[in-house]
Amino acid sequence: MKKLAAIAMVMAMTAMTLTGCGNDNTPSGGESTTGAQANTEANAASTDPSENAGGDTVYHVGICQLVQHEALDAATQGFQDALTELLGDKVVFDLQNASGDSATCATIVNQFVSSDVDLILANATAPLQSAAAATNEIPILGTSITDYATALEIDNWTGTTGTNISGTSDLAPLKEQAAMLNELFPDAESVGLLYCSAEPNSEYQVNVVEAALKDLGYTCKRYTFADSNDIAAVVTTASAESDVLYIPTDNTAASATEVIDNICRPAGVPIIASEEGICKGCGVATLSISYYDLGYATGKMAYEILVNGKDVSTMPVEFAPQVTKKYNTVICEELGITIPDGYEAIAAE
C-alpha cells in the first residue's frame, strides 16, 4: 500500500510539472515570441523589400537561354542583377545554355520541372515554347521574345496570356526600322531579308518589315537558313543579289555575325540590323533596345511573383521603355556611308 501511495504521489507531481510547461509560451530551445510580436516583426521586415525579402525562404530560379550571344547574355545578366539586388542571397540561379538546339531546351526545362524550381526564365522563343509544354503550374517569364501571340499560338491577343506565362518583349518598332533603312539608303532598289526559318518570331518581324519596305518602293526577297550550318552559303547568295540586307532579332544570325560580316563587308553590302549586338558584329545601323534593361525589367516581374504573390496569368507583357538609333562607326567608315545626325555611335570593344 505504501508503495502504491508513493507511486500515486509521483504521478501527481509529474502531472503538475507538465501542466506548468503547457502554460509556458517559450518555444523549446528558444526565446519567447508572442503572436503580436511576430506580426510586428513580419510587418517591419516587409516594409523594405530589399531587407530580409521573403524571410528565410530561398527561391530557386531556372534559366534556359537558347544560345550564347551578346543580346541574350545581356538580358540574362539584367534579370539576375535585378533579382539579386532585391533578394540578395535568398535567390539561387540554375543557368543553362541550350547551344541553339530546341531539343536541348526541352531537356533543360524538364529538368527544372523535375527539380520543382520556383520560377523559370525562358530567354528566347524556343525556351519559352519548351517551358510552356513542360509545365502549366510553375510560373514562366519570357524575355527576348518578339511576339508572344506568335510564339504561343494565341489568337485574339489581349496583352496577357491567361496562363502561367508572362514576360518582356524585345519587339522594336519594325516600321520605323524600315523607315531608317530608307533614310540611309533611299537610292537602293533591292533589300534581302535574311533570317532563320526555324525562328517564328524572325518570320513575324520580316512579315511586318517587308510590307513596310514594299510600301516605300523597295523590291524584297527572303533568304532563309535552317541553322548555322548553311548561313555562309545563304549569305553569299543574298549579298550577290541585294543592295541592302535586313536582319531581324534572329538568334541564329546573332551567333554568326562574324561569318556574315566576312562575306558582306568585302562585297560592299550594308546591313540594317534590328538589334545592337547584330549591328556591332556585322551591321551599319540599328534602331535598338537595351537587352540588359529588358532583362532587368523581367527580374522585377519575377520578384513580384515570388515574393508578393502576383498572379503571372494577369501580368501584361512588358516592352522596352525606349529605342535608340545607333551606328557601327568602323563598318560605316569602311563602306563610305555617311550617317545623319541623331544616331549614337556603338561603343567599340
Side-chain angles (χ1 to χ4, degrees):
M1 294 294 292
K2 290 182 179 180
K3 288 184 177 180
L4 290 175
I7 292 172
M9 184 176 293
V10 171
M11 293 177 64
M13 291 176 65
T14 301
M16 290 175 64
T17 303
L18 291 173
T19 302
C21 289
N23 290 331
D24 187 355
N25 288 326
T26 305
S28 177
E31 297 180 353
S32 174
T33 304
T34 66
Q37 288 174 321
N39 288 337
T40 301
E41 291 172 3
N43 290 336
S46 65
T47 301
D48 184 354
S50 65
E51 296 180 4
N52 298 322
D56 292 330
T57 302
V58 175
Y59 300 99
H60 293 81
V61 176
I63 302 175
C64 181
Q65 181 173 318
L66 176 61
V67 67
Q68 184 174 8
H69 66 69
E70 185 172 342
L72 298 190
D73 290 348
T76 293
Q77 189 63 57
F79 176 82
Q80 291 179 298
D81 287 352
L83 270 184
T84 300
E85 287 175 18
L86 290 166
L87 291 171
D89 60 0
K90 303 297 185 184
V91 60
V92 176
F93 301 103
D94 183 359
L95 173 57
Q96 300 289 331
N97 192 300
S99 300
D101 185 67
S102 296
T104 304
C105 289
T107 300
I108 291 170
V109 296
N110 282 324
Q111 289 173 349
F112 291 159
V113 174
S114 297
S115 300
D116 195 25
V117 296
D118 297 299
L119 183 140
I120 295 173
L121 175 72
N123 192 349
T125 300
L128 181 71
Q129 292 171 328
S130 294
T135 178
N136 59 7
E137 296 181 357
I138 296 174
I140 300 167
L141 288 178
T143 193
S144 313
I145 311 297
T146 303
D147 183 63
Y148 281 76
T150 299
L152 300 174
E153 298 182 347
I154 299 175
D155 295 326
N156 303 316
W157 175 249
T158 62
T160 60
T161 67
T163 68
N164 61 320
I165 299 171
S166 188
T168 55
S169 170
D170 63 356
L171 181 63
L174 298 173
K175 292 182 179 180
E176 285 84 345
Q177 289 182 349
M180 184 178 68
L181 186 151
N182 182 244
E183 177 184 37
L184 297 177
F185 305 106
D187 298 327
E189 296 181 357
S190 59
V191 178
L193 306 168
L194 184 68
Y195 66 100
C196 178
S197 58
E199 298 190 34
N201 280 331
S202 294
E203 185 168 4
Y204 170 83
Q205 294 171 79
V206 166
N207 288 340
V208 177
V209 171
E210 182 178 31
L213 289 172
K214 286 182 176 179
D215 287 343
L216 291 169
Y218 292 98
T219 299
C220 298
K221 183 176 179 179
R222 301 187 182 202
Y223 297 89
T224 63
F225 42 87
D227 53 40
S228 59
N229 294 322
D230 57 348
I231 285 182
V234 173
V235 173
T236 299
T237 301
S239 63
E241 298 177 351
S242 309
D243 297 324
V244 184
L245 293 180
Y246 171 81
I247 302 177
T249 52
D250 184 280
N251 293 294
T252 308
S255 64
T257 56
E258 184 177 359
V259 174
I260 297 171
D261 185 51
N262 287 340
I263 296 169
C264 292
R265 201 191 311 190
V269 178
I271 297 171
I272 295 295
S274 61
E275 61 94 6
E276 184 174 344
I278 296 176
C279 189
K280 183 182 290 188
C282 63
V284 296
T286 182
L287 183 61
S288 185
I289 65 170
S290 166
Y291 276 81
Y292 179 87
D293 291 346
L294 198 69
Y296 196 94
T298 317
K300 292 196 293 185
M301 293 176 73
Y303 177 83
E304 290 298 317
I305 295 166
L306 294 171
V307 178
N308 295 331
K310 198 74 176 286
D311 183 359
V312 63
S313 69
T314 65
M315 297 176 75
V317 169
E318 298 183 12
F319 294 82
Q322 62 182 14
V323 293
T324 307
K325 284 183 174 182
K326 294 189 175 185
Y327 73 103
N328 185 321
T329 56
V330 175
I331 296 180
C332 284
E333 182 177 350
E334 187 167 329
L335 296 185
I337 298 171
T338 301
I339 298 295
D341 294 338
Y343 284 73
E344 178 182 317
I346 293 175
E349 294 182 344

